[in-house]
Amino acid sequence: MRAVHDGADTGDRAARRRLRGGAASVAARAVGRVGALLLAAGLVLAPAAAAHATDPVDLGGAYVVDEAGALSSGQRTQVERAIQDLYDETQTQLYVVYVPTFTNPSDHAAWGDALRERNQIDSDAIVLSVAVDDRIADIQQTNETALSRSDVESAYQQDAVPQLRDGDWAGAAVALANGLVASQAPPDLTWLWVLLLVVVVGAVVAVLVIRTRNKRRTAEAERAQQESLAGLERKAGGALVTIDDELRTAEQEVGFATAQFGEDAAKPFADAVATAKRNVRQAFSFQQQLDDEVPDSPQQRAQWANQIIAICEQAHASIDEQTEAFDRLRALEDGVEDAAAGLASAVAAAPVELDAARRALERVRGSYGGRTLATVAGNVEQAEQVLGYATERSQAATAAVASGDKGEAVIAVRDAQHALAQVQQLTASATGAERAFAEAAARAEAMRADIEGDVAAARAMRSGDPALAAAVTRADTVLRQGSDPRDPIAAVDALTKANTEIDAALAAARGAQEQQQRAQRALDDALRDARARISQARDFISLRRGAVGTTARTRLSEAERALDDAVDLATSDPARALGAARAAEQYAAAAMDAANDDMGGWPGQGGGGNGAQLGGLVTGIVLGGLLGGRGGSFGGGSFGSGG
């Protein structure tokens, strides 16, 4: 690129340029040329003939000058149109000159400079000079154009030079003009939008895939958590059943130990059992929370189940420690011969008690039925079967003493003692049933009278309380329905519920002082009824605990807890104590129902009877008891399933 020198003013040429839209400044200004670019050796195919040597021409105001006859009229029109389009887009003038050869001067760059000076091309212009015969081209650019030098050189090299090499003279000029226009167009960002679209689609797909995987993982985690939680709760329920059986057997062991070694020696064992019972009651309270209708979070359920298991394990360890100590005492004592002999006498005398229980049971069968009779209906049959086991173990103890095997004799004596104790419980329950049922019948009549009085009192109050009106309606319905005189226990349960409802409704309508007075009068009866019902439920479950599951034991534990609360509140808050006592009675009734569901249901409600349960009974009461490490209920892998 070279600068163009100043020249004389030529007015007519400037006027013609202004008519074409490209006014040039008269004043001389420094210009720079883009540079003379020599075409590749391929352009120079042969030396030019000197016959058509051409000096720098006078353009005469034209933008296309063809001194070499390189263009047809149509090609010239194409070149002029491209030049006009370039000016319209960039305000830059393009001059195209075709000559046979460059002479005077013969150097292409000097020839181009001379051409610009002669025609006073000094601003906003580009000059393309082509020596057709020499196949040499020169391009010049003034130093004042809207196009950069790099744009001009790029358009020349990439667009014009390929056409010049092919001898397409018109095509070279058109390609140069079009290339200069294209260099000023905004960049084609289509690829960027396509890339962005691909990125967005990829991101959406990735989010959907990740979300789907997360949902699947969350669902799998929740399913695994539920399965794990269900297994944990089953383990907790099994632990409660096992420790409850062990505690009941341990209580018998305490009695045996006291009789054999005295109260002082048995005190550590008794204290351990009492502490374990208190702790296990808390475990049953957790089980009640798992069983109730209040929704619990998985974290709460897992926490309570783990606490149940921990309490049961601790209780087992404390009892087992004392049991082992007494086992060592028993294994070493010299009085096993006397114990075996005394046991044989007790076993021999047991049929007398069994006959008395059978006669008592026959008497109550004629007067009672339903749920009342079901509480003792199978006692005699079970007592006979357990007595058979006690007899067998008593005989084994006598044989072991005779053979000198004191260790085996001690174990056989203890097995027989446990079985004989169960026989005594079964027969005592049957023998006392007549009196217990008569008391229940009397209590039902007393409760009926009490409810009738409450209904009358509520109606006399003429209260507009809808809760009181609803309680009166329900109580009146229970009274009108009556009750089966042969099933006083079922009657007491129904009347207790009705009495509790109407008392609560009346309490809201009466003054605090009257509530306390009424509660105090009713409390003694409620405590007596709760104790009787709990005792009944405890005996029923204890005698069948080999087949009774977690629910019945939990309700019984809650009944005992409510009774303790009632006793504690009796002097300070009779109203709350009355509510607790009645709750205890209802819990005990629920425990009886749950236990009978485990046994096959109440008579007339489907399921099996209550008699043929020796397998579960002996396993749960005798063989599963504290046998000094011989097959204890916790052997073979922490708590099994309950029931």
Side-chain angles (χ1 to χ4, degrees), residues 345-359 387 391 423:
S345 299
V347 168
V352 176
E353 296 179 1
L354 196 60
D355 289 340
R358 184 179 292 106
R359 290 192 297 271
L387 179 58
T391 303
V423 171

Side-chain angles (χ1 to χ4, degrees), residues 43-69:
L43 283 175
V44 186
L45 302 178
H52 293 88
T54 307
D55 295 342
V57 299
D58 182 357
L59 299 178
Y63 286 91
V64 179
V65 175
D66 182 12
E67 294 290 336

Side-chain angles (χ1 to χ4, degrees), residues 9-27 29 31 61 63 84 87 90-95 119-126 142 144-145:
D9 183 17
T10 305
D12 55 340
R13 294 182 183 137
R16 286 194 297 271
R17 282 199 298 275
R18 284 194 296 271
L19 289 175
R20 299 287 292 178
S25 173
V26 177
R29 290 179 297 182
V31 296
Y63 286 91
Q84 185 63 46
Y87 183 80
T90 66
Q91 301 301 305
T92 300
Q93 302 173 92
L94 173 63
Y95 297 91
N119 293 278
Q120 297 185 1
I121 301 173
D122 52 16
S123 65
D124 299 325
I126 297 172
T142 64
E144 293 183 12
T145 68

Side-chain angles (χ1 to χ4, degrees), residues 215-286:
K215 286 182 178 179
R216 187 183 303 115
R217 290 172 182 170
T218 301
E220 291 174 353
E222 290 177 352
R223 183 165 55 254
Q225 182 186 46
Q226 291 173 355
E227 292 175 356
S228 175
L229 183 59
L232 186 64
E233 291 181 0
R234 284 194 299 271
K235 183 178 180 181
L240 278 173
V241 170
T242 304
I243 195 62
D244 192 51
D245 285 345
E246 188 169 342
L247 281 172
R248 297 182 189 281
T249 305
E251 289 178 321
Q252 294 176 346
E253 289 283 344
V254 170
F256 299 151
T258 301
Q260 292 179 2
F261 306 112
E263 291 186 1
D264 291 340
K267 188 175 186 304
F269 197 0
D271 291 344
V273 172
T275 301
K277 286 184 66 176
R278 287 195 299 271
N279 294 337
V280 170
R281 179 172 292 178
Q282 179 61 44
F284 275 113
S285 178
F286 290 136

Side-chain angles (χ1 to χ4, degrees), residues 39 173 199 202 250 368 394 445 459 609:
L39 286 174
V199 171
Y368 300 98
S394 176
E445 290 303 316
R459 287 172 174 164

Side-chain angles (χ1 to χ4, degrees), residues 45 48 52 74 90 92 97 210 228 265 273 294 312 355 379 390 396 452 515 541 553 583 595 624 634:
L45 302 178
H52 293 88
T90 66
T92 300
V97 179
I210 292 173
S228 175
V273 172
V294 179
C312 293
D355 289 340
N379 283 23
E452 289 173 348
Q515 292 178 30
I541 292 172
R553 299 165 190 263
F634 282 78

